[in-house]
């Protein structure tokens, strides 16, 4: 926790954008109020998290496909016996 003379220090708009996955090189508009920048950062999608979730979903789909194939192979064997 970072404290200043008013108590706990608020994050800056830049820090909010960085937490959302924006690179440090991303240019924030200079003629926009901080309140609007906070809203924009809050309404953004955290791309690194969405990307990781998509990879995990893809992995889960591949795993379930393998499981279904094994079940089909096993049920086909029992039908032949």
């Amino acid at each position: 926790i970072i404290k200043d003379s008013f108590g706990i220090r608020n994050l800056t708009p830049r820090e909010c954008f960085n937490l959302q996955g924006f690179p440090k090189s991303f240019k924030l508009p200079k003629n926009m109020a901080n309140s609007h920048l906070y809203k924009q950062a809050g309404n953004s999608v955290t791309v690194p998290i969405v990307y990781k979730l998509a990879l995990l979903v893809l992995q889960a789909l591949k795993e379930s496909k393998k499981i279904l194939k094994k079940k089909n192979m096993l049920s086909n064997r029992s039908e032949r016996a």
Side-chain angles (χ1 to χ4, degrees):
I1 296 177
I2 300 172
K3 294 185 177 185
D4 61 14
S5 59
F6 299 108
I8 297 174
R9 182 182 73 79
N10 290 334
L11 295 173
T12 65
R14 164 61 56 203
E15 291 169 330
C16 292
F17 277 91
N18 290 346
L19 285 171
Q20 289 288 64
F22 286 84
K24 290 182 180 180
S25 61
F26 183 76
K27 304 280 187 207
L28 297 178
K30 293 182 181 184
N31 61 346
M32 189 176 288
N34 280 349
S35 61
H36 292 290
L37 291 172
Y38 285 119
K39 287 177 189 176
Q40 285 187 350
N43 287 332
S44 67
V45 175
T46 309
V47 174
I49 299 296
V50 173
Y51 179 76
K52 180 66 175 177
L53 286 172
L55 290 178
L56 291 171
V57 168
L58 182 62
Q59 181 182 356
L61 290 172
K62 287 179 181 179
E63 291 292 322
S64 65
K65 189 175 180 180
K66 286 179 188 177
I67 291 169
L68 288 174
K69 281 185 179 181
K70 283 183 181 179
K71 283 185 178 180
N72 284 338
M73 290 174 68
L74 290 174
S75 65
N76 288 341
R77 286 183 188 167
S78 64
E79 290 174 6
R80 291 181 196 158

